[in-house]
Amino acid sequence: MNELAIPVRHGRANDELRPVEIVPHYIPYAEGSALIMLGNTHVLCAATVEERVPSFLVGSGQGWITAEYGMLPRSGRERIPRERMGPGGRTAEIQRLIGRSLRAAVDLAALGERTIIIDCDVLRADGGTRTAAITGGWVALHLALQHLLAEGRIESLPVVRQVAAVSVGVVAGQARLDLEYAEDSRAEVDMNIVMTDRGEFVELQGTAEGQPFGREVLEQLLRLAERGISELMLVQRRALGLS
């Protein structure tokens, strides 16, 4: 693959994100909230603070961050049934991914014995919903922590890392950043990558849907992800008024 010869796809280069916007404080009742719009993928993230922790953390002096994820019935091209009996396998896996990713951003001891729940609801789905949820969820989490600091419930802002995520893949033999559904559904390689502002990896989820792929392809996809995540982090900071 040649990164210098990148063909255009719907007016977007292979190394280009879809148009992205993060609207902070989208829900006035939540301690922190953000609507992230990444092309036609829109995810609403809301943070709720609870003055308790799971039983395994009681008495530890440490807080907890967890996530719930769901897709509205008509967020996709066909109706998605509500999960009335609890989250299915895909949903549970995505919730764990979001929770792990956002816990990496915070000093849980400095949070104290309280829990922050990040609810991520997909309003419109066109690929990359889990990575959008992580990126928007970090903004909602940051706002909730600012809220706790302003109320004097914590002594300092316990954010230790900025975290964002993006999808990459190989479609028609080409490495591509930020896959739309039409690309994701026929990708030869599909990856979701979560990184920090220090260049650290929180999670790498990669699958060869067809033929196995080599290190050269992996490194090219990582370079694309680093580029996209750097741009997403700039959008996050702008949403928070940090840059």
Side-chain angles (χ1 to χ4, degrees):
M1 296 176 219
N2 183 0
E3 287 184 319
L4 299 178
I6 301 172
V8 174
R9 44 175 179 149
H10 306 294
R12 181 163 65 104
N14 281 359
D15 64 348
E16 186 178 353
L17 291 171
R18 289 173 284 180
V20 56
E21 180 181 3
I22 299 177
V23 182
H25 306 293
Y26 195 79
I27 300 178
Y29 314 110
E31 284 88 345
S33 66
L35 173 67
I36 179 168
M37 296 173 283
L38 190 64
N40 287 323
T41 289
H42 297 181
V43 183
L44 179 57
C45 306
T48 299
V49 178
E50 294 187 346
E51 293 295 326
R52 59 179 179 172
V53 291
S55 58
F56 67 90
L57 286 175
V58 172
S60 69
Q62 179 174 307
W64 190 245
I65 296 168
T66 188
E68 294 193 10
Y69 166 97
M71 300 181 71
L72 295 185
R74 284 319 310 261
S75 60
R77 289 159 178 77
E78 297 180 357
R79 186 181 185 276
I80 301 166
R82 298 184 190 275
E83 296 180 306
R84 300 186 187 278
M85 303 302 292
R90 174 183 180 273
T91 298
E93 184 268 327
I94 292 173
Q95 290 180 167
R96 289 193 293 268
L97 169 65
I98 298 168
R100 285 194 302 270
S101 300
L102 297 180
R103 285 194 293 274
V106 174
D107 179 349
L108 296 175
L111 177 60
E113 286 197 31
R114 54 178 57 88
T115 296
I116 300 181
I117 304 166
I118 310 295
D119 286 294
C120 302
D121 290 290
V122 179
L123 309 182
R124 294 174 60 175
D126 188 30
T129 60
R130 71 185 69 191
T131 53
I134 292 167
T135 303
W138 183 85
V139 174
L141 173 62
H142 198 288
L143 290 169
L145 293 169
Q146 287 180 328
H147 176 81
L148 288 175
L149 182 62
E151 289 195 337
R153 293 157 70 183
I154 53 177
E155 295 181 357
S156 61
L157 194 67
V159 178
V160 293
R161 296 177 184 87
Q162 187 174 357
V163 172
V166 76
S167 66
V168 291
V170 177
V171 181
Q174 302 169 353
R176 298 186 177 185
L177 171 67
D178 186 21
L179 303 185
E180 302 170 20
Y181 174 78
E183 298 171 308
D184 182 58
S185 62
R186 59 188 182 93
E188 295 124 52
V189 179
D190 182 20
M191 296 189 74
N192 297 302
I193 298 177
V194 188
M195 295 184 68
T196 75
D197 55 339
R198 303 176 187 177
E200 304 159 319
F201 294 100
V202 179
E203 188 121 2
L204 298 170
Q205 297 182 336
T207 304
E209 302 290 351
Q211 295 297 318
F213 59 95
R215 182 179 295 273
E216 180 184 349
V217 173
L218 174 61
E219 290 176 350
Q220 187 172 8
L221 292 175
L222 291 179
R223 288 195 296 271
L224 282 176
E226 287 171 342
R227 174 179 179 141
I229 286 173
S230 176
E231 294 177 12
L232 289 169
M233 287 183 171
L234 179 59
V235 177
Q236 288 176 320
R237 292 193 295 270
R238 285 175 176 165
L240 292 168
L242 301 178
S243 64

